[in-house]
Amino acid sequence: MSLAVTLSRAQQGVLAPQVVVEVHLSGGLPGTAIVGLPEAAVREARDRVRVAIQNTAFQYPRSRVTVNLAPAELPKHGGRFDLAIALGILAAGGQVPRERLDDCEFFGELALSGALRTVPGVLPALLRARRRGRHVIVPRGNVAEAALVEGARIHVADTLADVCAWLRGGELPDPETVAGDGDADDIPDLADVRGQLQARRALEIAAAGGHHLLLAGPPGTGKTMLAERLPGILPPMSESEALESCAVRSVAGTPVDLACWRRRPFRAPHHTTSAVALVGGGSRPQPGEISLAHHGVLFLDELPEYERRVLDVLREPLESGEIVISRAMHKARFPARFQLVAAMNPCPCGYAGDPNGRCHCTPDQIARYRARISGPLLDRIDLGIEVPRLPLSELTAADRCGEDSASVRKRVVEARRQALVRGGLPNAELSTRDLERDCALGPSERAWLERALDRLHLSARAYHRVLRVARNIAALDGSIACVGREHLGEALQLRRLDQAAVA
Ligand SMILES: [Zn+2]
């Protein structure tokens, strides 16, 4: 009898593959069937859509209604297709015009009253629709995400009736564009950190090069405080980075806050966190902490307390910058390019090396404690330093406040710029070959470094890591082209924890 087609998008990781909703009305017993691998919430759309259509003063067809969601092999979940299904049914029955349907994508769950409800994970779909130049209709609850996608033809609707009026040539409001820079300045500042000059320096080097960082020291020395201040000295996020990061939050169902959408994320999951919560998973894959930290910082406090199994799953994303989750029906890929800051106590009680002799841990206990972190994980952490307990006099001296984050950030931005000009990548991501090519040491520096590594019992692999960090220190000094002995020396200092481990 009659066929109509509307467009929407499914959610698969941070992708938004297109879904074509075909609605066919035919003779036979009245009834509605939805086919095309719908999960429970999509099957229930049948009842929601029927009542919503009736409550919007339209007729629900008194015929056989077949709704096909294509492609059939793509799993579909949630109420996001309700609006597209309802409009397909109305168009097939000739109750709304079809002219605008080909050029438009629809998102929204229907309430029985015909009102549109927010759908999670709409941002990736909006980005894809923008690329196709189509009109997009979203519920008012998704207006914040819509506001981020500049240049898209997005319209905001409250009800099914609003959308039908728009299809007849009416108007719908566009989302307001974002005001402000989305990087509200109420973030923790480095000026709050007293003393700890070496730790501050290590933090700056980590920020400039994108290196992962391990802080070891007794409780209460400010390891957490330092870690929290890393996002504030990292270079500002580019628009595409910020959108990628917001897309993950959108998929996770976290509302996007327009006041700080361009702020780098800082995630600090507790050590009792499960592997699924950390890297993502579930029968319908959801992003985990590492993806929520995409383009930002993942802070793992008390690193040896995490289950070994949980830490082991970090290795793949640390290498590739993404995580692939496969479940029976679903396969999803989430981005996870984060900077890791880990903290640990020097021993189980936390006071090894304390001058007051509070620690009674045996060498054996200390060794076992440190061995809980696997070698392959430590291998990916370029910087490791001790954060010592400071004498009280240093903590209370009013004049020991350090430089503020804004000043440090300026140097970081400049060093990153230089690294990008020379290597095209942040230092920490340079391959061994790239390093050899554009960070060649003079013969005397090379010999000096080899001797130093030998003396400290460090492996050949450490050679490249020291070189990577040294190049970065040189960039902060404004002399990236010329890595000198002082840069190598400082880079070696920043690997103190390896040396402690072999000693
Ligand atoms: Zn101890």
Side-chain angles (χ1 to χ4, degrees):
M1 265 168 73
S2 184
L3 181 74
V5 175
T6 55
L7 301 173
S8 189
R9 289 183 183 274
Q11 183 217 312
Q12 195 176 40
V14 284
L15 300 180
Q18 179 171 288
V19 168
V20 178
V21 180
E22 300 169 324
V23 180
H24 184 236
L25 307 185
S26 59
L29 281 178
T32 304
I34 298 181
V35 298
L37 213 59
E39 290 179 4
V42 182
R43 283 198 300 275
E44 288 162 1
R46 198 170 51 184
D47 300 314
R48 283 194 303 272
V49 166
R50 180 170 45 77
V51 179
I53 285 181
Q54 287 163 347
N55 282 335
T56 308
F58 287 109
Q59 287 284 320
Y60 194 83
R62 290 205 187 88
S63 50
R64 184 95 202 128
V65 178
T66 309
V67 178
N68 180 35
L69 305 174
E73 71 276 5
L74 181 74
K76 298 161 194 87
H77 57 82
R80 54 167 52 217
F81 305 108
D82 287 7
L83 178 61
I85 293 172
L87 293 171
I89 292 172
L90 292 174
Q95 300 189 75
V96 295
R98 301 176 183 214
E99 288 75 39
R100 278 180 156 177
L101 291 181
D102 304 342
D103 191 26
C104 192
E105 299 186 5
F106 301 96
F107 301 93
E109 180 180 328
L110 282 170
L112 298 184
S113 64
L116 285 175
R117 290 200 166 121
T118 314
V119 291
V122 107
L123 185 55
L126 296 178
L127 293 170
R128 291 292 284 269
R130 173 172 70 176
R131 219 177 300 162
R132 302 291 295 266
R134 292 195 179 123
H135 291 276
V136 187
I137 309 286
V138 295
R140 180 160 309 276
N142 290 105
V143 73
E145 286 153 275
L148 296 180
V149 189
E150 238 178 280
R153 301 154 88 188
I154 303 174
H155 314 283
V156 181
D158 290 305
T159 62
L160 174 61
D162 286 353
V163 185
C164 293
W166 179 78
L167 288 173
R168 290 207 189 88
E171 293 287 322
L172 277 177
D174 301 337
E176 283 169 27
T177 43
V178 196
D181 60 2
D183 190 6
D185 45 9
D186 56 340
I187 52 172
D189 198 289
L190 262 182
D192 310 335
V193 178
R194 304 225 165 147
Q196 299 296 10
L197 293 184
Q198 197 199 18
R200 293 175 63 106
R201 173 77 173 160
L203 205 63
E204 180 172 339
I205 293 168
H211 303 283
H212 304 305
L213 171 67
L214 175 61
L215 303 169
T221 51
K223 300 184 297 270
T224 305
M225 202 170 164
L226 284 160
E228 282 169 349
R229 280 152 181 78
L230 178 56
I233 60 169
L234 285 169
M237 268 176 145
S238 71
E239 183 181 324
S240 67
E241 283 176 338
L243 284 174
E244 278 177 31
S245 173
C246 286
V248 177
R249 268 175 277 165
S250 169
V251 167
T254 320
V256 172
D257 183 350
L258 291 182
C260 56
W261 71 283
R262 270 180 110 143
R263 180 186 296 173
R264 291 193 184 267
F266 178 84
R267 307 290 301 190
H270 191 254
H271 61 73
T272 52
T273 215
S274 68
V276 166
L278 190 66
V279 300
S283 56
R284 217 175 358 90
Q286 284 291 102
E289 290 291 336
I290 59 167
S291 296
L292 291 166
H294 183 52
H295 290 311
V297 175
L298 180 74
F299 177 52
L300 302 182
D301 198 6
E302 309 209 29
L303 191 64
E305 302 293 336
Y306 287 77
E307 264 184 69
R308 182 71 176 257
R309 192 173 52 85
V310 172
L311 292 183
D312 280 345
V313 292
L314 282 179
R315 280 156 50 187
E316 184 205 324
L318 277 173
E319 199 66 32
S320 63
E322 63 172 18
I323 180 86
V324 179
I325 299 165
S326 292
R327 293 291 181 272
M329 289 276 285
H330 301 272
K331 185 170 181 184
R333 194 181 288 272
F334 292 106
R337 195 166 291 289
F338 56 90
Q339 203 166 340
L340 176 66
V341 180
M344 64 186 284
N345 293 336
C347 69
C349 83
Y351 294 98
D354 191 290
N356 296 339
R358 286 165 78 172
C359 172
H360 298 289
C361 303
T362 65
D364 195 38
Q365 279 174 322
I366 295 179
R368 244 182 297 138
Y369 179 73
R370 293 190 182 175
R372 282 198 220 160
I373 311 165
S374 71
L377 178 65
L378 279 181
D379 256 355
R380 289 172 173 80
I381 301 179
D382 285 339
L383 302 176
I385 57 152
E386 282 171 43
V387 185
R389 181 175 294 286
L390 293 179
L392 200 61
S393 56
E394 193 161 345
L395 281 177
T396 48
D399 58 338
R400 293 308 297 267
C401 285
E403 230 180 343
D404 64 357
S405 292
S407 316
V408 179
R409 193 188 213 186
K410 268 191 209 128
R411 289 195 297 271
V412 167
V413 168
E414 177 55 24
R416 278 249 181 147
R417 196 189 59 78
Q418 284 196 36
L420 288 176
V421 167
R422 271 185 78 85
L425 286 170
N427 270 316
E429 290 169 35
L430 284 183
S431 72
T432 312
R433 211 178 43 197
D434 293 336
L435 258 183
E436 290 282 354
R437 191 198 55 216
D438 58 58
C439 189
L441 293 179
S444 81
E445 279 81 14
R446 178 179 280 266
W448 181 88
L449 178 57
E450 279 168 3
R451 270 202 312 279
L453 290 174
D454 203 40
R455 204 173 55 240
L456 297 167
H457 309 285
L458 290 179
S459 66
R461 230 176 342 184
Y463 176 85
H464 287 110
R465 283 189 290 159
V466 170
L467 202 55
R468 212 169 264 145
V469 175
R471 182 178 188 272
N472 194 20
I473 295 172
L476 279 168
D477 273 4
S479 68
I480 194 167
C482 172
V483 175
R485 207 172 282 183
E486 70 277 21
H487 306 129
L488 293 169
E490 187 175 1
L492 274 175
Q493 277 295 311
L494 294 170
R495 298 213 48 89
R496 283 288 299 284
L497 293 180
D498 291 4
Q499 298 157 34
V502 287

